[in-house]
Every structure is written in structure tokens, then in C-alpha cells.
Amino acid sequence: MPGPAAVRTAELDGPGVRRLTRRSAAQRAVTTWGARLGEAWSTTASVGIGLAVVGGWLASVRDEIAGTSPGSGTSLPATATALAAAIVGVAALTTLLDRLGPVSASPAAAAWWLPLPAARAGLLRSDLGRVAGVCAGVTAVVCTPLAMVWAAAPSVSGVAATVVGAAASASVLVGAVALLQSRGSSGVLA
């Protein structure tokens, strides 16, 4: 029988700490499929109600606008409107990421992870990938109508190229803000 000196514990890496955390949370969790289904249904109903409220409000605003006489001025071209919306979107995303920081851990995760004898290099890497993916996805959804308005005669390939470029740019922006955050320059861009 080997003695205590023969038993060696390997240092955990970032993914190992995450696995340990998931296993620990799974052992303590008492959620069932019914509870998960109920949460999914509740979320779906809440989102549906929110969309219905916003849709009703937009319809009432449309009716008010349609009831007024048009102004004598010229309208803003669609490309200028799309460019202004894109600039506002990039500024909002940059400010949000710069203030909140794309790489972070909740106080509970920090209290659990920091005392562990583990390498912390890969600990937040998956969070960064998740935030970059969410930002790219939201950017793609928001950018699709703008890309359709941008050209006078939009094509599928042109719209797809614009959407992919915007999503990639959002991911690069997340990486740049994370790099600034890791160098202690958070809050500079905002």
C-alpha cells in the first residue's frame, strides 16, 4: 500500500477548475426536468408579453406619425440612417464592455476559485469566448436590417458579407476591450 508520499495531486488548470465547479454545483442542485421546463416556459411567456407590449406601442406610434402631415424638409437617406445607427451601436457596445469588463467572475466564483491551488490562466478564457460569441450574435441580428438598408439593391451575398464582417468586428472589439482590461486600462474607451 503506497504511503502519503506516493499520492500526488496534480495542479488543476482553468478547465479543471471549471469541471470541479460544475460537478460540485450538480451534486447540490435539486433541479428537475419539470423545473427547467417551467423556467423555459416562464421565460418564453415573459419575452412574448414584452414583445407584444413593444409591438403595440410601435403600432400606436406609427398611427400617430401617419396621422400627421409630412414635414417640408427632406428625409435622411437610408444609408446615412444605417451609418448613424451603426456608430451608435458600436459606441454603446464599447461603453458597455469597457465599463463592465468582458472578463469577470462573480463574487461567489471568485471566493470559490481563488483559494484553489490551481493555474488560473485558463479560468476566464471560456467566459471571454462566451461574451465574444454573444456580442457577435447580437451584432449579426441587429446588423441584418441595417445591411439590407445600406445598399440600394441589396444582394444576399452583400448582406451576408456585411453581417459577417460586423459580427467579426464585434468579436475583435470584445478582445480589444479584454486586452485593455487585463493591462489595467479599463474605463479608457468609455
Side-chain angles (χ1 to χ4, degrees), residues 140-185:
V141 167
V142 170
C143 182
T144 301
L146 296 175
M148 290 178 182
V149 171
W150 189 265
S155 66
V156 174
S157 61
V159 170
T162 303
V163 169
V164 168
S169 298
S171 294
V172 168
L173 180 64
V174 169
V177 173
L179 186 63
L180 285 175
Q181 180 188 15
S182 68
R183 293 188 175 168
S185 300

PDB file of all heavy atoms in Angstrom, residues 140-185:
ATOM      1  N   ALA A 140     -24.936  40.483 -35.244  1.00  0.00           N
ATOM      2  CA  ALA A 140     -25.440  39.931 -36.503  1.00  0.00           C
ATOM      3  C   ALA A 140     -26.941  40.151 -36.636  1.00  0.00           C
ATOM      4  O   ALA A 140     -27.431  40.530 -37.709  1.00  0.00           O
ATOM      5  CB  ALA A 140     -25.102  38.451 -36.610  1.00  0.00           C
ATOM      6  N   VAL A 141     -27.685  39.946 -35.546  1.00  0.00           N
ATOM      7  CA  VAL A 141     -29.138  40.132 -35.586  1.00  0.00           C
ATOM      8  C   VAL A 141     -29.494  41.606 -35.800  1.00  0.00           C
ATOM      9  O   VAL A 141     -30.363  41.939 -36.603  1.00  0.00           O
ATOM     10  CB  VAL A 141     -29.786  39.593 -34.289  1.00  0.00           C
ATOM     11  CG1 VAL A 141     -31.219  40.033 -34.156  1.00  0.00           C
ATOM     12  CG2 VAL A 141     -29.684  38.086 -34.238  1.00  0.00           C
ATOM     13  N   VAL A 142     -28.804  42.496 -35.094  1.00  0.00           N
ATOM     14  CA  VAL A 142     -29.088  43.920 -35.216  1.00  0.00           C
ATOM     15  C   VAL A 142     -28.619  44.462 -36.559  1.00  0.00           C
ATOM     16  O   VAL A 142     -29.251  45.330 -37.155  1.00  0.00           O
ATOM     17  CB  VAL A 142     -28.444  44.699 -34.043  1.00  0.00           C
ATOM     18  CG1 VAL A 142     -28.504  46.189 -34.257  1.00  0.00           C
ATOM     19  CG2 VAL A 142     -29.117  44.318 -32.736  1.00  0.00           C
ATOM     20  N   CYS A 143     -27.520  43.928 -37.070  1.00  0.00           N
ATOM     21  CA  CYS A 143     -26.910  44.435 -38.297  1.00  0.00           C
ATOM     22  C   CYS A 143     -27.653  43.986 -39.557  1.00  0.00           C
ATOM     23  O   CYS A 143     -27.555  44.655 -40.593  1.00  0.00           O
ATOM     24  CB  CYS A 143     -25.464  43.982 -38.353  1.00  0.00           C
ATOM     25  SG  CYS A 143     -24.579  44.589 -39.770  1.00  0.00           S
ATOM     26  N   THR A 144     -28.387  42.893 -39.485  1.00  0.00           N
ATOM     27  CA  THR A 144     -29.046  42.382 -40.689  1.00  0.00           C
ATOM     28  C   THR A 144     -29.993  43.401 -41.324  1.00  0.00           C
ATOM     29  O   THR A 144     -29.889  43.662 -42.528  1.00  0.00           O
ATOM     30  CB  THR A 144     -29.768  41.065 -40.376  1.00  0.00           C
ATOM     31  OG1 THR A 144     -28.802  40.121 -39.905  1.00  0.00           O
ATOM     32  CG2 THR A 144     -30.449  40.501 -41.597  1.00  0.00           C
ATOM     33  N   PRO A 145     -30.920  44.028 -40.572  1.00  0.00           N
ATOM     34  CA  PRO A 145     -31.769  45.030 -41.228  1.00  0.00           C
ATOM     35  C   PRO A 145     -30.985  46.236 -41.724  1.00  0.00           C
ATOM     36  O   PRO A 145     -31.294  46.803 -42.767  1.00  0.00           O
ATOM     37  CB  PRO A 145     -32.774  45.440 -40.151  1.00  0.00           C
ATOM     38  CG  PRO A 145     -32.525  44.611 -38.976  1.00  0.00           C
ATOM     39  CD  PRO A 145     -31.314  43.796 -39.195  1.00  0.00           C
ATOM     40  N   LEU A 146     -29.943  46.638 -40.974  1.00  0.00           N
ATOM     41  CA  LEU A 146     -29.136  47.770 -41.414  1.00  0.00           C
ATOM     42  C   LEU A 146     -28.396  47.440 -42.707  1.00  0.00           C
ATOM     43  O   LEU A 146     -28.258  48.297 -43.579  1.00  0.00           O
ATOM     44  CB  LEU A 146     -28.142  48.161 -40.318  1.00  0.00           C
ATOM     45  CG  LEU A 146     -28.749  48.676 -39.015  1.00  0.00           C
ATOM     46  CD1 LEU A 146     -27.660  48.897 -37.978  1.00  0.00           C
ATOM     47  CD2 LEU A 146     -29.535  49.942 -39.255  1.00  0.00           C
ATOM     48  N   ALA A 147     -27.924  46.207 -42.829  1.00  0.00           N
ATOM     49  CA  ALA A 147     -27.223  45.806 -44.053  1.00  0.00           C
ATOM     50  C   ALA A 147     -28.176  45.769 -45.245  1.00  0.00           C
ATOM     51  O   ALA A 147     -27.774  46.043 -46.373  1.00  0.00           O
ATOM     52  CB  ALA A 147     -26.572  44.442 -43.860  1.00  0.00           C
ATOM     53  N   MET A 148     -29.439  45.446 -44.995  1.00  0.00           N
ATOM     54  CA  MET A 148     -30.420  45.440 -46.085  1.00  0.00           C
ATOM     55  C   MET A 148     -30.744  46.855 -46.558  1.00  0.00           C
ATOM     56  O   MET A 148     -31.037  47.078 -47.724  1.00  0.00           O
ATOM     57  CB  MET A 148     -31.700  44.742 -45.625  1.00  0.00           C
ATOM     58  CG  MET A 148     -31.553  43.268 -45.440  1.00  0.00           C
ATOM     59  SD  MET A 148     -33.113  42.591 -44.856  1.00  0.00           S
ATOM     60  CE  MET A 148     -32.674  40.888 -44.644  1.00  0.00           C
ATOM     61  N   VAL A 149     -30.684  47.817 -45.638  1.00  0.00           N
ATOM     62  CA  VAL A 149     -30.990  49.201 -45.974  1.00  0.00           C
ATOM     63  C   VAL A 149     -29.780  49.896 -46.609  1.00  0.00           C
ATOM     64  O   VAL A 149     -29.927  50.828 -47.383  1.00  0.00           O
ATOM     65  CB  VAL A 149     -31.447  49.956 -44.704  1.00  0.00           C
ATOM     66  CG1 VAL A 149     -31.582  51.434 -44.936  1.00  0.00           C
ATOM     67  CG2 VAL A 149     -32.749  49.382 -44.203  1.00  0.00           C
ATOM     68  N   TRP A 150     -28.595  49.424 -46.281  1.00  0.00           N
ATOM     69  CA  TRP A 150     -27.355  50.098 -46.678  1.00  0.00           C
ATOM     70  C   TRP A 150     -27.242  50.258 -48.191  1.00  0.00           C
ATOM     71  O   TRP A 150     -26.914  51.332 -48.680  1.00  0.00           O
ATOM     72  CB  TRP A 150     -26.166  49.311 -46.131  1.00  0.00           C
ATOM     73  CG  TRP A 150     -24.867  50.030 -46.296  1.00  0.00           C
ATOM     74  CD1 TRP A 150     -23.982  49.888 -47.301  1.00  0.00           C
ATOM     75  CD2 TRP A 150     -24.333  51.016 -45.433  1.00  0.00           C
ATOM     76  NE1 TRP A 150     -22.920  50.712 -47.118  1.00  0.00           N
ATOM     77  CE2 TRP A 150     -23.105  51.422 -45.970  1.00  0.00           C
ATOM     78  CE3 TRP A 150     -24.771  51.599 -44.244  1.00  0.00           C
ATOM     79  CZ2 TRP A 150     -22.310  52.385 -45.361  1.00  0.00           C
ATOM     80  CZ3 TRP A 150     -23.968  52.551 -43.648  1.00  0.00           C
ATOM     81  CH2 TRP A 150     -22.753  52.936 -44.198  1.00  0.00           C
ATOM     82  N   ALA A 151     -27.507  49.211 -48.953  1.00  0.00           N
ATOM     83  CA  ALA A 151     -27.374  49.268 -50.410  1.00  0.00           C
ATOM     84  C   ALA A 151     -28.725  49.550 -51.053  1.00  0.00           C
ATOM     85  O   ALA A 151     -29.774  49.194 -50.522  1.00  0.00           O
ATOM     86  CB  ALA A 151     -26.816  47.951 -50.931  1.00  0.00           C
ATOM     87  N   ALA A 152     -28.681  50.190 -52.211  1.00  0.00           N
ATOM     88  CA  ALA A 152     -29.922  50.492 -52.932  1.00  0.00           C
ATOM     89  C   ALA A 152     -30.605  49.207 -53.396  1.00  0.00           C
ATOM     90  O   ALA A 152     -31.820  49.069 -53.329  1.00  0.00           O
ATOM     91  CB  ALA A 152     -29.627  51.393 -54.118  1.00  0.00           C
ATOM     92  N   ALA A 153     -29.818  48.247 -53.889  1.00  0.00           N
ATOM     93  CA  ALA A 153     -30.336  46.948 -54.315  1.00  0.00           C
ATOM     94  C   ALA A 153     -29.535  45.863 -53.589  1.00  0.00           C
ATOM     95  O   ALA A 153     -28.543  45.359 -54.107  1.00  0.00           O
ATOM     96  CB  ALA A 153     -30.210  46.791 -55.823  1.00  0.00           C
ATOM     97  N   PRO A 154     -29.960  45.504 -52.365  1.00  0.00           N
ATOM     98  CA  PRO A 154     -29.160  44.548 -51.591  1.00  0.00           C
ATOM     99  C   PRO A 154     -29.201  43.142 -52.187  1.00  0.00           C
ATOM    100  O   PRO A 154     -30.223  42.701 -52.701  1.00  0.00           O
ATOM    101  CB  PRO A 154     -29.816  44.570 -50.206  1.00  0.00           C
ATOM    102  CG  PRO A 154     -31.202  45.040 -50.436  1.00  0.00           C
ATOM    103  CD  PRO A 154     -31.157  45.936 -51.639  1.00  0.00           C
ATOM    104  N   SER A 155     -28.061  42.482 -52.137  1.00  0.00           N
ATOM    105  CA  SER A 155     -27.980  41.084 -52.567  1.00  0.00           C
ATOM    106  C   SER A 155     -27.720  40.213 -51.342  1.00  0.00           C
ATOM    107  O   SER A 155     -27.266  40.693 -50.312  1.00  0.00           O
ATOM    108  CB  SER A 155     -26.855  40.908 -53.588  1.00  0.00           C
ATOM    109  OG  SER A 155     -25.612  41.148 -52.977  1.00  0.00           O
ATOM    110  N   VAL A 156     -28.013  38.943 -51.469  1.00  0.00           N
ATOM    111  CA  VAL A 156     -27.815  38.020 -50.349  1.00  0.00           C
ATOM    112  C   VAL A 156     -26.338  37.977 -49.958  1.00  0.00           C
ATOM    113  O   VAL A 156     -25.995  38.019 -48.773  1.00  0.00           O
ATOM    114  CB  VAL A 156     -28.336  36.613 -50.716  1.00  0.00           C
ATOM    115  CG1 VAL A 156     -28.000  35.626 -49.626  1.00  0.00           C
ATOM    116  CG2 VAL A 156     -29.829  36.651 -50.962  1.00  0.00           C
ATOM    117  N   SER A 157     -25.458  37.914 -50.948  1.00  0.00           N
ATOM    118  CA  SER A 157     -24.029  37.838 -50.637  1.00  0.00           C
ATOM    119  C   SER A 157     -23.527  39.134 -50.008  1.00  0.00           C
ATOM    120  O   SER A 157     -22.710  39.112 -49.089  1.00  0.00           O
ATOM    121  CB  SER A 157     -23.232  37.515 -51.903  1.00  0.00           C
ATOM    122  OG  SER A 157     -23.413  38.539 -52.867  1.00  0.00           O
ATOM    123  N   GLY A 158     -24.031  40.275 -50.476  1.00  0.00           N
ATOM    124  CA  GLY A 158     -23.611  41.552 -49.899  1.00  0.00           C
ATOM    125  C   GLY A 158     -24.071  41.706 -48.458  1.00  0.00           C
ATOM    126  O   GLY A 158     -23.305  42.142 -47.592  1.00  0.00           O
ATOM    127  N   VAL A 159     -25.325  41.344 -48.200  1.00  0.00           N
ATOM    128  CA  VAL A 159     -25.856  41.427 -46.838  1.00  0.00           C
ATOM    129  C   VAL A 159     -25.120  40.449 -45.934  1.00  0.00           C
ATOM    130  O   VAL A 159     -24.732  40.785 -44.805  1.00  0.00           O
ATOM    131  CB  VAL A 159     -27.379  41.168 -46.827  1.00  0.00           C
ATOM    132  CG1 VAL A 159     -27.899  41.004 -45.412  1.00  0.00           C
ATOM    133  CG2 VAL A 159     -28.109  42.288 -47.536  1.00  0.00           C
ATOM    134  N   ALA A 160     -24.887  39.220 -46.429  1.00  0.00           N
ATOM    135  CA  ALA A 160     -24.178  38.218 -45.619  1.00  0.00           C
ATOM    136  C   ALA A 160     -22.755  38.678 -45.313  1.00  0.00           C
ATOM    137  O   ALA A 160     -22.281  38.526 -44.173  1.00  0.00           O
ATOM    138  CB  ALA A 160     -24.151  36.879 -46.346  1.00  0.00           C
ATOM    139  N   ALA A 161     -22.066  39.257 -46.283  1.00  0.00           N
ATOM    140  CA  ALA A 161     -20.700  39.741 -46.050  1.00  0.00           C
ATOM    141  C   ALA A 161     -20.690  40.868 -45.023  1.00  0.00           C
ATOM    142  O   ALA A 161     -19.815  40.910 -44.143  1.00  0.00           O
ATOM    143  CB  ALA A 161     -20.080  40.203 -47.361  1.00  0.00           C
ATOM    144  N   THR A 162     -21.657  41.760 -45.102  1.00  0.00           N
ATOM    145  CA  THR A 162     -21.738  42.857 -44.143  1.00  0.00           C
ATOM    146  C   THR A 162     -22.022  42.341 -42.741  1.00  0.00           C
ATOM    147  O   THR A 162     -21.405  42.771 -41.763  1.00  0.00           O
ATOM    148  CB  THR A 162     -22.832  43.858 -44.565  1.00  0.00           C
ATOM    149  OG1 THR A 162     -22.538  44.317 -45.884  1.00  0.00           O
ATOM    150  CG2 THR A 162     -22.909  45.033 -43.634  1.00  0.00           C
ATOM    151  N   VAL A 163     -22.947  41.396 -42.630  1.00  0.00           N
ATOM    152  CA  VAL A 163     -23.306  40.847 -41.316  1.00  0.00           C
ATOM    153  C   VAL A 163     -22.133  40.080 -40.712  1.00  0.00           C
ATOM    154  O   VAL A 163     -21.814  40.243 -39.528  1.00  0.00           O
ATOM    155  CB  VAL A 163     -24.566  39.956 -41.431  1.00  0.00           C
ATOM    156  CG1 VAL A 163     -24.804  39.175 -40.162  1.00  0.00           C
ATOM    157  CG2 VAL A 163     -25.775  40.804 -41.757  1.00  0.00           C
ATOM    158  N   VAL A 164     -21.457  39.271 -41.513  1.00  0.00           N
ATOM    159  CA  VAL A 164     -20.297  38.521 -41.009  1.00  0.00           C
ATOM    160  C   VAL A 164     -19.176  39.483 -40.602  1.00  0.00           C
ATOM    161  O   VAL A 164     -18.527  39.302 -39.564  1.00  0.00           O
ATOM    162  CB  VAL A 164     -19.811  37.494 -42.062  1.00  0.00           C
ATOM    163  CG1 VAL A 164     -18.470  36.916 -41.695  1.00  0.00           C
ATOM    164  CG2 VAL A 164     -20.844  36.388 -42.211  1.00  0.00           C
ATOM    165  N   GLY A 165     -18.953  40.508 -41.405  1.00  0.00           N
ATOM    166  CA  GLY A 165     -17.934  41.496 -41.059  1.00  0.00           C
ATOM    167  C   GLY A 165     -18.247  42.230 -39.769  1.00  0.00           C
ATOM    168  O   GLY A 165     -17.366  42.462 -38.940  1.00  0.00           O
ATOM    169  N   ALA A 166     -19.514  42.588 -39.583  1.00  0.00           N
ATOM    170  CA  ALA A 166     -19.913  43.277 -38.356  1.00  0.00           C
ATOM    171  C   ALA A 166     -19.786  42.357 -37.148  1.00  0.00           C
ATOM    172  O   ALA A 166     -19.325  42.780 -36.077  1.00  0.00           O
ATOM    173  CB  ALA A 166     -21.343  43.784 -38.488  1.00  0.00           C
ATOM    174  N   ALA A 167     -20.174  41.092 -37.290  1.00  0.00           N
ATOM    175  CA  ALA A 167     -20.056  40.142 -36.173  1.00  0.00           C
ATOM    176  C   ALA A 167     -18.592  39.906 -35.821  1.00  0.00           C
ATOM    177  O   ALA A 167     -18.228  39.849 -34.634  1.00  0.00           O
ATOM    178  CB  ALA A 167     -20.736  38.829 -36.534  1.00  0.00           C
ATOM    179  N   ALA A 168     -17.747  39.782 -36.830  1.00  0.00           N
ATOM    180  CA  ALA A 168     -16.306  39.607 -36.568  1.00  0.00           C
ATOM    181  C   ALA A 168     -15.728  40.852 -35.907  1.00  0.00           C
ATOM    182  O   ALA A 168     -14.900  40.745 -34.985  1.00  0.00           O
ATOM    183  CB  ALA A 168     -15.578  39.297 -37.873  1.00  0.00           C
ATOM    184  N   SER A 169     -16.169  42.014 -36.347  1.00  0.00           N
ATOM    185  CA  SER A 169     -15.689  43.258 -35.728  1.00  0.00           C
ATOM    186  C   SER A 169     -16.104  43.342 -34.266  1.00  0.00           C
ATOM    187  O   SER A 169     -15.342  43.808 -33.421  1.00  0.00           O
ATOM    188  CB  SER A 169     -16.235  44.467 -36.486  1.00  0.00           C
ATOM    189  OG  SER A 169     -15.772  44.465 -37.809  1.00  0.00           O
ATOM    190  N   ALA A 170     -17.317  42.891 -33.951  1.00  0.00           N
ATOM    191  CA  ALA A 170     -17.771  42.892 -32.559  1.00  0.00           C
ATOM    192  C   ALA A 170     -16.913  41.954 -31.717  1.00  0.00           C
ATOM    193  O   ALA A 170     -16.548  42.285 -30.580  1.00  0.00           O
ATOM    194  CB  ALA A 170     -19.234  42.489 -32.476  1.00  0.00           C
ATOM    195  N   SER A 171     -16.556  40.792 -32.256  1.00  0.00           N
ATOM    196  CA  SER A 171     -15.693  39.865 -31.521  1.00  0.00           C
ATOM    197  C   SER A 171     -14.308  40.459 -31.296  1.00  0.00           C
ATOM    198  O   SER A 171     -13.723  40.321 -30.214  1.00  0.00           O
ATOM    199  CB  SER A 171     -15.572  38.545 -32.278  1.00  0.00           C
ATOM    200  OG  SER A 171     -16.802  37.897 -32.323  1.00  0.00           O
ATOM    201  N   VAL A 172     -13.767  41.127 -32.312  1.00  0.00           N
ATOM    202  CA  VAL A 172     -12.460  41.776 -32.174  1.00  0.00           C
ATOM    203  C   VAL A 172     -12.540  42.895 -31.142  1.00  0.00           C
ATOM    204  O   VAL A 172     -11.615  43.083 -30.344  1.00  0.00           O
ATOM    205  CB  VAL A 172     -11.977  42.304 -33.543  1.00  0.00           C
ATOM    206  CG1 VAL A 172     -10.790  43.226 -33.405  1.00  0.00           C
ATOM    207  CG2 VAL A 172     -11.642  41.139 -34.462  1.00  0.00           C
ATOM    208  N   LEU A 173     -13.659  43.628 -31.130  1.00  0.00           N
ATOM    209  CA  LEU A 173     -13.842  44.692 -30.144  1.00  0.00           C
ATOM    210  C   LEU A 173     -13.853  44.129 -28.730  1.00  0.00           C
ATOM    211  O   LEU A 173     -13.248  44.696 -27.825  1.00  0.00           O
ATOM    212  CB  LEU A 173     -15.141  45.445 -30.432  1.00  0.00           C
ATOM    213  CG  LEU A 173     -15.479  46.590 -29.494  1.00  0.00           C
ATOM    214  CD1 LEU A 173     -14.444  47.696 -29.605  1.00  0.00           C
ATOM    215  CD2 LEU A 173     -16.861  47.123 -29.794  1.00  0.00           C
ATOM    216  N   VAL A 174     -14.519  42.992 -28.537  1.00  0.00           N
ATOM    217  CA  VAL A 174     -14.526  42.349 -27.223  1.00  0.00           C
ATOM    218  C   VAL A 174     -13.101  41.971 -26.821  1.00  0.00           C
ATOM    219  O   VAL A 174     -12.677  42.197 -25.687  1.00  0.00           O
ATOM    220  CB  VAL A 174     -15.443  41.106 -27.225  1.00  0.00           C
ATOM    221  CG1 VAL A 174     -15.256  40.293 -25.960  1.00  0.00           C
ATOM    222  CG2 VAL A 174     -16.891  41.517 -27.371  1.00  0.00           C
ATOM    223  N   GLY A 175     -12.346  41.400 -27.750  1.00  0.00           N
ATOM    224  CA  GLY A 175     -10.960  41.037 -27.455  1.00  0.00           C
ATOM    225  C   GLY A 175     -10.105  42.249 -27.126  1.00  0.00           C
ATOM    226  O   GLY A 175      -9.272  42.199 -26.212  1.00  0.00           O
ATOM    227  N   ALA A 176     -10.296  43.347 -27.850  1.00  0.00           N
ATOM    228  CA  ALA A 176      -9.507  44.558 -27.590  1.00  0.00           C
ATOM    229  C   ALA A 176      -9.829  45.140 -26.215  1.00  0.00           C
ATOM    230  O   ALA A 176      -8.927  45.536 -25.472  1.00  0.00           O
ATOM    231  CB  ALA A 176      -9.776  45.594 -28.680  1.00  0.00           C
ATOM    232  N   VAL A 177     -11.118  45.154 -25.861  1.00  0.00           N
ATOM    233  CA  VAL A 177     -11.501  45.671 -24.550  1.00  0.00           C
ATOM    234  C   VAL A 177     -10.969  44.750 -23.448  1.00  0.00           C
ATOM    235  O   VAL A 177     -10.509  45.212 -22.406  1.00  0.00           O
ATOM    236  CB  VAL A 177     -13.031  45.853 -24.459  1.00  0.00           C
ATOM    237  CG1 VAL A 177     -13.453  46.226 -23.058  1.00  0.00           C
ATOM    238  CG2 VAL A 177     -13.484  46.919 -25.437  1.00  0.00           C
ATOM    239  N   ALA A 178     -11.000  43.441 -23.676  1.00  0.00           N
ATOM    240  CA  ALA A 178     -10.461  42.497 -22.686  1.00  0.00           C
ATOM    241  C   ALA A 178      -8.957  42.695 -22.528  1.00  0.00           C
ATOM    242  O   ALA A 178      -8.424  42.617 -21.415  1.00  0.00           O
ATOM    243  CB  ALA A 178     -10.752  41.065 -23.106  1.00  0.00           C
ATOM    244  N   LEU A 179      -8.262  42.947 -23.625  1.00  0.00           N
ATOM    245  CA  LEU A 179      -6.823  43.191 -23.554  1.00  0.00           C
ATOM    246  C   LEU A 179      -6.532  44.453 -22.753  1.00  0.00           C
ATOM    247  O   LEU A 179      -5.636  44.469 -21.902  1.00  0.00           O
ATOM    248  CB  LEU A 179      -6.241  43.298 -24.968  1.00  0.00           C
ATOM    249  CG  LEU A 179      -4.736  43.416 -25.072  1.00  0.00           C
ATOM    250  CD1 LEU A 179      -4.075  42.158 -24.516  1.00  0.00           C
ATOM    251  CD2 LEU A 179      -4.326  43.628 -26.515  1.00  0.00           C
ATOM    252  N   LEU A 180      -7.310  45.509 -23.011  1.00  0.00           N
ATOM    253  CA  LEU A 180      -7.134  46.735 -22.223  1.00  0.00           C
ATOM    254  C   LEU A 180      -7.448  46.493 -20.750  1.00  0.00           C
ATOM    255  O   LEU A 180      -6.778  47.023 -19.868  1.00  0.00           O
ATOM    256  CB  LEU A 180      -8.032  47.843 -22.779  1.00  0.00           C
ATOM    257  CG  LEU A 180      -7.579  48.495 -24.078  1.00  0.00           C
ATOM    258  CD1 LEU A 180      -8.643  49.479 -24.566  1.00  0.00           C
ATOM    259  CD2 LEU A 180      -6.263  49.211 -23.884  1.00  0.00           C
ATOM    260  N   GLN A 181      -8.477  45.682 -20.488  1.00  0.00           N
ATOM    261  CA  GLN A 181      -8.846  45.399 -19.108  1.00  0.00           C
ATOM    262  C   GLN A 181      -7.748  44.623 -18.401  1.00  0.00           C
ATOM    263  O   GLN A 181      -7.416  44.899 -17.257  1.00  0.00           O
ATOM    264  CB  GLN A 181     -10.148  44.600 -19.066  1.00  0.00           C
ATOM    265  CG  GLN A 181     -10.598  44.275 -17.659  1.00  0.00           C
ATOM    266  CD  GLN A 181     -11.776  43.318 -17.630  1.00  0.00           C
ATOM    267  OE1 GLN A 181     -12.081  42.686 -18.617  1.00  0.00           O
ATOM    268  NE2 GLN A 181     -12.417  43.230 -16.489  1.00  0.00           N
ATOM    269  N   SER A 182      -7.143  43.670 -19.095  1.00  0.00           N
ATOM    270  CA  SER A 182      -6.091  42.871 -18.456  1.00  0.00           C
ATOM    271  C   SER A 182      -4.825  43.686 -18.223  1.00  0.00           C
ATOM    272  O   SER A 182      -3.999  43.321 -17.395  1.00  0.00           O
ATOM    273  CB  SER A 182      -5.776  41.648 -19.313  1.00  0.00           C
ATOM    274  OG  SER A 182      -5.165  42.047 -20.534  1.00  0.00           O
ATOM    275  N   ARG A 183      -4.657  44.781 -18.936  1.00  0.00           N
ATOM    276  CA  ARG A 183      -3.497  45.658 -18.724  1.00  0.00           C
ATOM    277  C   ARG A 183      -3.791  46.794 -17.765  1.00  0.00           C
ATOM    278  O   ARG A 183      -2.987  47.703 -17.620  1.00  0.00           O
ATOM    279  CB  ARG A 183      -3.036  46.212 -20.066  1.00  0.00           C
ATOM    280  CG  ARG A 183      -2.485  45.140 -20.944  1.00  0.00           C
ATOM    281  CD  ARG A 183      -1.864  45.676 -22.171  1.00  0.00           C
ATOM    282  NE  ARG A 183      -1.256  44.566 -22.912  1.00  0.00           N
ATOM    283  CZ  ARG A 183      -0.834  44.679 -24.122  1.00  0.00           C
ATOM    284  NH1 ARG A 183      -0.897  45.839 -24.762  1.00  0.00           N
ATOM    285  NH2 ARG A 183      -0.308  43.636 -24.742  1.00  0.00           N
ATOM    286  N   GLY A 184      -4.976  46.769 -17.152  1.00  0.00           N
ATOM    287  CA  GLY A 184      -5.317  47.782 -16.171  1.00  0.00           C
ATOM    288  C   GLY A 184      -5.806  49.083 -16.774  1.00  0.00           C
ATOM    289  O   GLY A 184      -5.813  50.104 -16.113  1.00  0.00           O
ATOM    290  N   SER A 185      -6.209  49.083 -18.039  1.00  0.00           N
ATOM    291  CA  SER A 185      -6.669  50.314 -18.702  1.00  0.00           C
ATOM    292  C   SER A 185      -8.176  50.318 -18.867  1.00  0.00           C
ATOM    293  O   SER A 185      -8.683  50.886 -19.828  1.00  0.00           O
ATOM    294  CB  SER A 185      -5.995  50.431 -20.072  1.00  0.00           C
ATOM    295  OG  SER A 185      -4.613  50.472 -19.944  1.00  0.00           O
TER     296      SER A 185
END
